[in-house]
Amino acid sequence: SQKPGIPLVANGDIHVLSLMGRNYTLANSEPTLSIKNKKVKIVSKPLKTLHFLKIVWSIIFGRFIKQ
């Protein structure tokens, strides 16, 4: 979040299973308190170019094949 005082958490809207687990929030204690107290670590693993292109290809052409 860009607003001061608003905590940032990582989440995902997973449409491709291979992306699961790439972005998440680590909390060392009870999640709600950790987020409120800003005691969390954001983990985000970047995609390699080839993996990204495979996902885009499957999304674009997978939809045409299903129709």
Side-chain angles (χ1 to χ4, degrees):
S1 172
Q2 298 297 320
K3 295 181 181 179
I6 304 291
L8 174 69
V9 294
N11 59 39
D13 183 13
I14 304 298
H15 295 276
V16 178
L17 287 179
S18 66
L19 296 177
M20 183 171 280
R22 299 194 72 81
N23 301 302
Y24 53 93
T25 303
L26 287 176
N28 288 332
S29 62
E30 197 278 321
T32 303
L33 290 176
S34 294
I35 294 168
K36 183 177 180 181
N37 295 322
K38 300 177 187 173
K39 303 286 184 186
V40 296
K41 179 180 178 184
I42 306 299
V43 178
S44 181
K45 301 173 187 173
L47 285 174
K48 294 186 177 180
T49 304
L50 183 58
H51 190 182
F52 170 76
L53 292 173
K54 285 180 181 179
I55 292 168
V56 171
W57 179 271
S58 68
I59 290 171
I60 292 171
F61 293 106
R63 290 186 181 169
F64 288 121
I65 293 169
K66 289 178 186 176
Q67 295 176 358

